[in-house]
């Protein structure tokens, strides 16, 4: 398993431009329909936003893990971190936005040196649903993070954490050696202060994304399997499981190409294309803000450097009304959000 | 023509069999879909049975399809291999149980 990002390894797929080129050529030249073509068929091109519900802030690409399928290409060698100045600009936006959910992601957002200050300030603004996407191992990575569960509780943070499987082998294969044991300990710590427990207001959700070149199965059935196994084996409880389809970008795209799975995977995504999922894709109710303040339709478009198609492109110029008039940028990676029951940072959408 | 009898890409063309016999093809796929719905058995259990049978009938397309289906359902490789052994045990048992006929015939024909 790699210990460095694609960027540090100087791999071709570290470049957004190369990824987009790859996704628009080959089988999409003559065998498979482009995503735009699918939208045109249902009169949904250009794709337009619905009411804004979620502001997703990427606090930086630095992470203590180097997961095989990371769409961010995050890792310890990534130095892109949101500054306090940009955070202050985000706070100004949070004061006036119509979005009810604030979603902090990374990398490991907790590794941003101003993470705690930002959470404290944002929590004062009365966000209805305040999500932190925590990779769990960060809580056990260093003594300075051991109190994160208490910190989350104090600010009524909704914790959403990745967990590819309920067995050690599958989890460690995707996320690195030792990740499973640390994640289990972190989940037990969170349960101990009533995160994810029945009747507790403290929300603890898990995110499942397949550890290989296949699509996720039914979210409800997988949630039942996760709940049963984690309860029986480790006495762990959680609220909901979100299944997320791996999008063919960044490290996952690199993996698909290297393992000769790219074509089959794209066929699977296109075969499973569900027009009903287009109605609820997350880019229609979400805005993604990068570590350096640029605005995107979603976290995936951020990684592909596809900025919003709007005169307003940076948080310093934020104008929600104007942004609502934009057309959403799409490419073939968008098939990942419309396969089967659909996929989003909040799980399936149909 | 392909150089081998089995081409993994042909699995994608499976639904096309309906083009040459619409009524029977449609009836088959309706039946197939219904069988794999959740019933007295869970979809997960049915997936494991399908995987075991795929090996017994030695269908490479089915093995590809139900290995992938199992992965999607979070079925572990240990569970998959146990299912295959279950199928293999029945298949070899079906061979071996015929040995009783051999023994019967042997005894009848021998002093």
């Amino acid at each position: 398993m790699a210990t460095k990002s694609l960027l540090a390894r100087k791999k071709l797929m570290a470049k957004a431009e190369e990824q987009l080129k790859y996704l628009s050529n080959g089988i999409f030249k003559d065998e498979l329909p482009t995503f735009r073509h699918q939208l045109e068929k249902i009169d949904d091109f250009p794709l337009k936003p619905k009411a804004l519900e979620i502001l997703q802030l990427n606090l930086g690409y630095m992470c203590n893990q180097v997961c095989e399928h990371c769409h961010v290409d995050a890792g310890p060698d990534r130095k892109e971190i949101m500054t306090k100045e940009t955070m202050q600009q985000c706070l100004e936006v949070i004061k006036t936005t119509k979005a009810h959910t604030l979603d902090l992601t990374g990398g490991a957002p907790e590794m941003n040196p101003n993470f705690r200050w930002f959470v404290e300030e944002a929590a004062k603004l009365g966000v209805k649903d305040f999500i932190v996407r925590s990779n769990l191992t960060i809580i056990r990575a260093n003594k300075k993070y051991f109190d994160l569960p208490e910190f989350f509780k104090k600010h009524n943070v909704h914790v959403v954490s990745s967990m590819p499987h309920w067995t050690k082998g599958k989890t460690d294969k995707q996320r690195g050696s030792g990740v499973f044991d640390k994640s289990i300990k972190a989940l037990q710590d969170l349960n101990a202060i009533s995160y994810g427990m029945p009747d507790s207001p403290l929300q603890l959700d898990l995110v499942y994304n397949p550890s290989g070149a296949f699509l996720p199965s039914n979210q409800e059935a997988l949630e039942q399997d996760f709940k049963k196994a984690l309860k029986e084996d480790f006495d762990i409880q959680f609220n909901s499981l979100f299944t997320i389809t791996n999008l063919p970008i960044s490290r996952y795209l690199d993996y698909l190409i290297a393992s000769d799975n790219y074509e089959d995977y794209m066929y699977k995504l296109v075969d499973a294309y569900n027009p009903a999922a287009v109605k609820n894709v997350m880019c229609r109710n979400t805005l993604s803000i990068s570590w350096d303040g640029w605005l995107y339709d979603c976290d995936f478009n951020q990684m592909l450097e596809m900025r919003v198609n709007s005169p307003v492109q940076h948080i310093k110029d934020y104008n929600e009304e104007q942004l609502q008039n934009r057309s959403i940028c799409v490419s073939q990676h968008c098939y990942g959000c419309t396969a089967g029951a659909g996929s989003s940072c909040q799980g399936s959408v149909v | 023509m392909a150089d081998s009898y089995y081409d993994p890409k042909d699995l994608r063309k499976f639904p096309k069999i309906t083009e040459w016999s619409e009524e029977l093809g449609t009836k088959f796929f309706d039946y197939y879909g219904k069988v794999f719905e959740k019933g007295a058995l869970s979809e997960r259990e049915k997936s494991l049975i399908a995987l075991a049978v795929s090996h017994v009938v030695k269908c490479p397309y089915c093995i590809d399809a139900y290995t992938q289906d199992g992965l999607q359902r979070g079925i572990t490789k240990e569970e998959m291999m146990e299912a295959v052994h279950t199928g293999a045990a029945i298949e070899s048992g079906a061979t071996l149980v015929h040995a009783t006929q051999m023994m019967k015939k042997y005894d009848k024909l021998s002093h």
Side-chain angles (χ1 to χ4, degrees):
Chain A
M1 186 165 178
T3 54
K4 287 183 177 173
S5 65
L6 293 179
L7 189 69
R9 285 183 276 145
K10 298 186 169 40
K11 299 271 277 188
L12 193 65
M13 288 302 145
K15 294 179 183 163
E17 189 191 336
E18 293 296 334
Q19 296 174 51
L20 284 168
K21 212 191 297 175
Y22 204 91
L23 287 167
S24 296
N25 287 306
I27 43 176
F28 286 101
K29 274 279 178 228
D30 48 15
E31 288 179 46
L32 293 174
T34 61
F35 191 75
R36 175 185 169 146
H37 179 70
Q38 302 279 26
L39 293 183
E40 283 168 344
K41 273 204 297 191
I42 55 168
D43 287 331
D44 247 329
F45 186 84
L47 193 63
K48 302 298 280 185
K50 298 194 291 187
L52 181 67
E53 295 184 73
I54 303 163
L55 273 182
Q56 190 174 59
L57 273 56
N58 194 312
L59 299 193
Y61 303 159
M62 187 182 281
C63 191
N64 58 319
Q65 295 182 182
V66 188
C67 299
E68 269 198 353
H69 302 156
C70 181
H71 72 277
V72 178
D73 192 26
D77 57 70
R78 298 299 299 259
K79 306 298 177 211
E80 299 90 336
I81 284 286
M82 188 179 276
T83 62
K84 200 167 180 178
E85 186 193 355
T86 305
M87 286 178 165
Q88 260 154 346
Q89 290 169 336
C90 292
L91 288 170
E92 289 307 311
V93 168
I94 296 163
K95 280 179 193 167
T96 57
T97 181
K98 289 185 179 140
H100 53 65
T101 298
L102 180 62
D103 186 341
L104 304 188
T105 186
E110 301 94 331
M111 291 178 85
N112 184 308
N114 296 306
F115 169 75
R116 294 193 193 220
W117 169 82
F118 182 74
V119 170
E120 282 163 7
E121 293 302 312
K124 287 179 199 165
L125 302 176
V127 181
K128 195 172 157 203
D129 188 7
F130 192 171
I131 295 171
V132 172
R133 292 185 187 266
S134 176
N135 69 25
L136 291 175
T137 62
I138 192 73
I139 296 173
R140 307 303 306 169
N142 184 305
K143 260 197 284 190
K144 68 178 177 181
Y145 298 122
F146 284 2
D147 66 333
L148 273 173
E150 289 291 350
F151 176 76
F152 291 148
K153 182 177 179 174
K154 185 178 169 194
H155 298 288
N156 196 24
V157 164
H158 172 177
V159 178
V160 178
S161 297
S162 292
M163 194 80 186
H165 205 262
W166 56 84
T167 59
K168 186 182 168 79
K170 284 206 159 196
T171 303
D172 285 0
K173 193 164 186 294
Q174 183 190 101
R175 300 180 75 79
S177 176
V179 165
F180 185 76
D181 290 341
K182 281 184 187 162
S183 300
I184 290 296
K185 179 74 183 79
L187 286 172
Q188 286 166 337
D189 288 352
L190 286 162
N191 274 177
I193 57 168
S194 62
Y195 261 103
M197 302 303 277
D199 304 323
S200 167
L202 297 168
Q203 292 288 301
L204 171 61
D205 295 325
L206 297 184
V207 168
Y208 162 88
N209 61 313
S211 49
F214 54 93
L215 307 183
S217 184
N218 176 278
Q219 181 167 280
E220 203 180 311
L222 272 174
E223 181 181 287
Q224 282 173 10
D225 291 338
F226 264 83
K227 284 195 167 174
K228 186 170 179 285
L230 288 178
K231 177 74 180 141
E232 281 178 10
D233 296 346
F234 305 103
D235 198 24
I236 285 170
Q237 298 189 73
F238 64 94
N239 297 101
S240 300
L241 182 81
F242 302 148
T243 57
I244 297 188
T245 302
N246 287 309
L247 263 68
I249 68 167
S250 192
R251 286 219 278 271
Y252 190 67
L253 177 59
D254 185 68
Y255 152 77
L256 289 175
I257 297 167
S259 60
D260 197 23
N261 277 309
Y262 172 74
E263 281 195 16
D264 279 347
Y265 191 75
M266 295 314 290
Y267 263 96
K268 266 177 231 163
L269 288 182
V270 175
D271 286 347
Y273 166 71
N274 179 1
V278 174
K279 304 288 168 213
N280 299 317
V281 278
M282 67 175 173
C283 52
R284 301 186 85 165
N285 69 351
T286 303
L287 264 177
S288 160
I289 301 155
S290 65
W291 64 277
D292 49 357
W294 294 101
L295 304 173
Y296 301 86
D297 301 305
C298 70
D299 205 44
F300 303 108
N301 280 6
Q302 183 185 141
M303 301 314 147
L304 290 170
E305 297 171 12
M306 298 163 75
R307 288 180 192 162
V308 283
N309 183 9
S310 165
V312 178
Q313 290 205 313
H314 196 271
I315 190 82
K316 66 178 170 24
D317 308 312
Y318 192 85
N319 179 321
E320 210 155 282
E321 211 175 333
Q322 229 177 326
L323 281 161
Q324 286 301 101
N325 292 326
R326 76 192 193 277
S327 297
I328 293 167
C329 304
V330 298
S331 182
Q332 280 50 265
H333 65 293
C334 302
Y335 274 115
C337 289
T338 55
S343 175
S344 75
C345 289
Q346 273 71 36
S348 57
V349 298
V350 177
Chain B
M1 288 295 285
D3 292 336
S4 64
Y5 286 105
Y6 290 116
D7 181 351
K9 286 182 181 163
D10 285 345
L11 181 55
R12 289 181 203 139
K13 299 176 194 157
F14 191 15
K16 287 181 186 283
I17 65 159
T18 306
E19 290 174 10
W20 284 18
S21 174
E22 194 176 343
E23 187 194 356
L24 294 178
T26 304
K27 280 187 171 162
F28 166 75
F29 283 114
D30 286 349
Y31 165 75
Y32 192 94
K34 197 78 193 156
V35 164
F36 282 93
E37 282 176 9
K38 187 180 173 187
L41 294 177
S42 67
E43 291 165 308
R44 194 176 197 278
E45 287 164 332
K46 289 182 182 185
S47 180
L48 278 165
I49 293 170
L51 182 69
V53 175
S54 301
H55 282 77
V56 173
V57 300
K58 298 173 185 64
C59 168
Y61 299 117
C62 317
I63 293 169
D64 274 8
Y66 284 96
T67 303
Q68 182 181 298
D69 188 70
L71 277 164
Q72 288 181 192
R73 295 182 191 285
I75 294 172
T76 63
K77 60 184 178 189
E78 290 80 9
E79 289 172 306
M80 288 188 198
M81 188 56 92
E82 275 189 31
V84 173
H85 274 293
T86 307
I90 293 296
E91 196 181 26
S92 55
T95 302
L96 287 171
V97 73
H98 287 80
T100 58
Q101 192 178 335
M102 170 195 73
M103 291 159 79
K104 201 163 59 182
K105 191 72 175 172
Y106 183 97
D107 288 343
K108 189 180 174 195
L109 298 178
S110 307
H111 287 297

